[in-house]
Amino acid sequence: LDPQSDGDAESVGTKVELPFGLRIEAQLQNSDERKKNMAGAEEEPFIKFDLETTRLQPFGRFIATLPYVLPLCDALFLVPANEVGLDWFPYLWVARFVAALPYASVILFFVCSIASQQMSLPFALRYNLRQAILLDITAISFQLLFSFAGGFVNAEAVKDLELVGGAVFYAILLAVTYSQACNLMGILPKGIPVISSTADNMSGPRF
């Protein structure tokens, strides 16, 4: 067999005249490619943060935080008023004021529902409206569950229900705070388990 020409693929050793020389060379090249792929995989971060921007101007970012007063209005009913202990949190003042108005939370729920279906609004606004609605549905569901269970349990179990209600309230408060902080920084709040992915699927096209 003729030896390899200088224009052939680059080899690690000298030119080989044996029939399986090309096979050895090919294996060496594949090994190099494998090392490059492994090196590239090691450079990728173990945890990736999906920070999708809202593409909203500062005023639009502020507007995107407003729907989250809705879930707080209904979450306040999960705990006694004197046990909240978060008077320093200004958004709770707004929630308490709205919750004190007759049928305010019901009207706000329908307003948010209708607005979230308007495709003329930016995706970020529709997404936050949907997410606020889903958080509100979560709060209302626990309200109904505790009201139903309260009629069938004793006094000690009622205390346990109050503890669970408090945990749900603080979980919703944490989700609302996270969503507001992300929106004010121009980042889409996509980190709430189950709820964020559901809101994303229900919010229509991104534009």
Side-chain angles (χ1 to χ4, degrees):
L1 295 175
D2 294 333
Q4 294 178 342
S5 61
D6 294 338
D8 288 341
E10 193 178 21
S11 61
V12 175
T14 59
K15 296 179 181 180
V16 181
E17 297 182 358
L18 296 176
F20 48 85
L22 293 176
R23 183 181 304 168
I24 294 176
E25 184 179 342
Q27 289 176 350
L28 292 175
Q29 288 176 345
N30 290 336
S31 177
D32 292 339
E33 292 176 359
R34 190 179 302 111
K35 289 179 180 178
K36 291 180 181 179
N37 293 334
M38 291 176 63
E42 291 176 356
E43 293 175 358
E44 294 182 358
F46 180 72
I47 298 177
K48 295 182 180 180
F49 294 97
D50 185 9
L51 301 180
E52 182 178 349
T53 58
T54 59
R55 294 181 291 178
L56 295 174
Q57 297 299 321
F59 181 72
R61 297 176 186 179
F62 171 73
I63 295 298
T65 66
L66 297 182
Y68 291 97
V69 72
L70 174 63
L72 277 185
C73 287
D74 289 311
L76 284 171
F77 293 99
L78 295 172
V79 289
N82 58 348
E83 293 185 7
V84 174
L86 290 172
D87 292 334
W88 55 268
F89 194 66
Y91 209 65
L92 279 178
W93 303 346
V94 180
R96 285 172 176 168
F97 174 77
V98 175
L101 299 176
Y103 306 106
S105 60
V106 177
I107 295 173
L108 187 58
F109 181 90
F110 284 106
V111 169
C112 290
S113 299
I114 295 173
S116 66
Q117 301 174 17
Q118 305 303 312
M119 293 297 122
S120 59
L121 293 177
F123 171 80
L125 290 180
R126 288 183 276 118
Y127 173 86
N128 282 285
L129 286 163
R130 285 289 185 181
Q131 184 155 269
I133 290 171
L134 292 174
L135 287 172
D136 186 54
I137 292 174
T138 302
I140 294 174
S141 300
F142 277 99
Q143 279 188 44
L144 296 175
L145 177 63
F146 294 157
S147 299
F148 178 78
F152 298 93
V153 296
N154 54 28
E156 293 182 358
V158 170
K159 293 182 179 179
D160 294 335
L161 290 177
E162 290 179 354
L163 292 176
V164 176
V168 174
F169 166 78
Y170 286 108
I172 292 177
L173 179 62
L174 180 62
V176 168
T177 305
Y178 157 78
S179 300
Q180 290 177 325
C182 287
N183 279 308
L184 292 176
M185 292 187 295
I187 300 171
L188 207 62
K190 299 170 60 178
I192 304 176
V194 181
I195 290 179
S196 291
S197 58
T198 305
D200 195 357
N201 294 331
M202 297 172 63
S203 299
R206 280 172 159 75
F207 58 81

